[in-house]
Amino acid sequence: MIPVPSLLRSLLSEHLDPGYAAAAKRRATAAPPRPVVTWGWQILAGLLVTAVFAAAAAQATSVAPATQETRQVLATGVRNAERANEAGARRRDALAGQVESERRERLAGDEQGRQLLADLDVAEFAAAATAVHGPGLNVTVTEASGARDLSDVSKQRVAGSPQVILDRDLQLVVDSLWVSGAEAIAIGDVRIGPNVTIRQAGGGLLVDNQPIANPYVVRAIGPPHAMGDSFDQSPGLQRLRILEAAYGVTVNVSEAEDLKLPAGSVREVNFAKQIGAK
């Protein structure tokens, strides 16, 4: 028989290290912890948690007045900016009226000036730069106020948003009104002109970079009966009827005897030039 060393024999026969075995034996024979000590540690931990929550509540209470004050300062700043913007718009309109009066007075004295004024009137009307009024159509689109069960008929048009009417819907309505014979169009209080865009911005709609809210009112000046008959068969109204049936949108088309549309914003038009060209 070949002798086996004692270390190798212990590795083969004793699977648990002697140190671990001794620790397990001491733990088994040791007295159980006293209940008073255990409860003491639990009470101390509870007191620490309570202290942390109390400190957080005190901090939130102390920060709340400052947050409210900041909110009030921001709201005041917004209101002041809105008033300044409105005052600037009124002054702009007044100065534009003075310029218009002076121009007409100076040009109306001869035949060439009167012809120039007539050409300017045509150009300004085409650019939606003058306020107009006359008979036409009102197209009012109202989104449903309550949520509907859309599991069978449709899905949300904007993921995670209840909004139904999108920029492309209003664009199609405006295009259909132009084709139907409209001479001037406004959405809300924003006149539609050559340089006006209708865009989606998150959960809102912007017309000429100005937000418009539900309900969306599109006003179009033109021959009401002929324009209404043509608009009834247009792709714009057909899409609104589909949204009405699927999403609960309310669509109302009515004739009006006298609509008043504001003048649109006029911007300087820049033209690209080839490098080196004069």
Side-chain angles (χ1 to χ4, degrees):
M1 177 181 294
I2 301 175
V4 179
S6 59
L7 177 60
L8 183 58
R9 186 183 303 108
S10 64
L11 289 176
L12 295 174
S13 60
E14 299 176 6
H15 302 290
L16 185 64
D17 185 87
Y20 286 108
K25 185 177 181 181
R26 287 196 302 270
R27 188 180 301 110
T29 57
R34 290 177 296 176
V36 176
V37 177
T38 303
W39 280 105
W41 282 109
Q42 292 178 353
I43 293 174
L44 180 59
L47 291 175
L48 289 176
V49 172
T50 304
V52 170
F53 278 104
Q59 183 177 6
T61 304
S62 63
V63 171
T67 304
Q68 181 65 23
E69 182 179 357
T70 303
R71 186 181 297 111
Q72 291 178 353
V73 170
L74 292 175
T76 302
V78 170
R79 287 192 293 268
N80 292 337
E82 289 177 346
R83 285 193 290 266
N85 185 50
E86 292 174 358
R90 288 193 297 268
R91 177 170 174 77
R92 178 203 62 197
D93 294 340
L95 292 175
Q98 294 177 12
V99 171
E100 177 68 15
S101 299
E102 185 71 17
R103 181 176 63 183
R104 290 190 174 277
E105 182 179 350
R106 291 176 179 272
L107 294 178
D110 55 55
E111 183 63 28
Q112 184 178 3
R114 287 191 292 271
Q115 182 60 45
L116 181 58
L117 283 175
D119 295 340
L120 285 174
D121 289 340
V122 173
E124 288 180 345
F125 180 79
T130 56
V132 295
H133 69 93
L137 291 180
N138 274 322
V139 182
T140 304
V141 184
T142 307
E143 297 199 19
S145 58
R148 303 181 62 206
D149 183 6
L150 306 179
S151 58
D152 294 333
V153 295
S154 59
K155 301 294 183 182
Q156 287 182 327
R157 302 191 77 200
V158 179
S161 172
Q163 184 176 0
V164 174
I165 302 300
L166 306 181
D167 51 0
R168 57 179 177 264
D169 303 321
L170 293 183
Q171 291 168 5
L172 186 58
V173 169
V174 169
D175 291 341
S176 297
L177 287 171
W178 285 128
V179 174
S180 299
E183 301 171 7
I185 299 176
I187 299 180
D189 293 327
V190 183
R191 181 78 172 273
I192 303 298
N195 54 3
V196 172
T197 59
I198 304 172
R199 298 185 301 170
Q200 195 87 18
L205 288 172
L206 298 179
V207 180
D208 198 22
N209 293 324
Q210 300 183 40
I212 59 171
N214 179 50
Y216 309 108
V217 181
V218 184
R219 297 175 292 163
I221 290 180
H225 299 298
M227 188 165 56
D229 292 341
S230 179
F231 186 65
D232 281 341
Q233 308 299 324
S234 67
L237 186 58
Q238 290 176 9
R239 174 176 290 186
L240 293 181
R241 295 304 183 193
I242 292 174
L243 297 178
E244 185 177 35
Y247 293 90
V249 171
T250 302
V251 181
N252 182 34
V253 181
S254 61
E255 297 182 2
E257 295 182 358
D258 189 21
L259 295 174
K260 295 179 173 62
L261 306 188
S265 57
V266 179
R267 300 179 179 88
E268 182 180 357
V269 179
N270 297 318
F271 295 93
K273 294 182 179 180
Q274 184 179 355
I275 297 177
K278 295 183 179 179

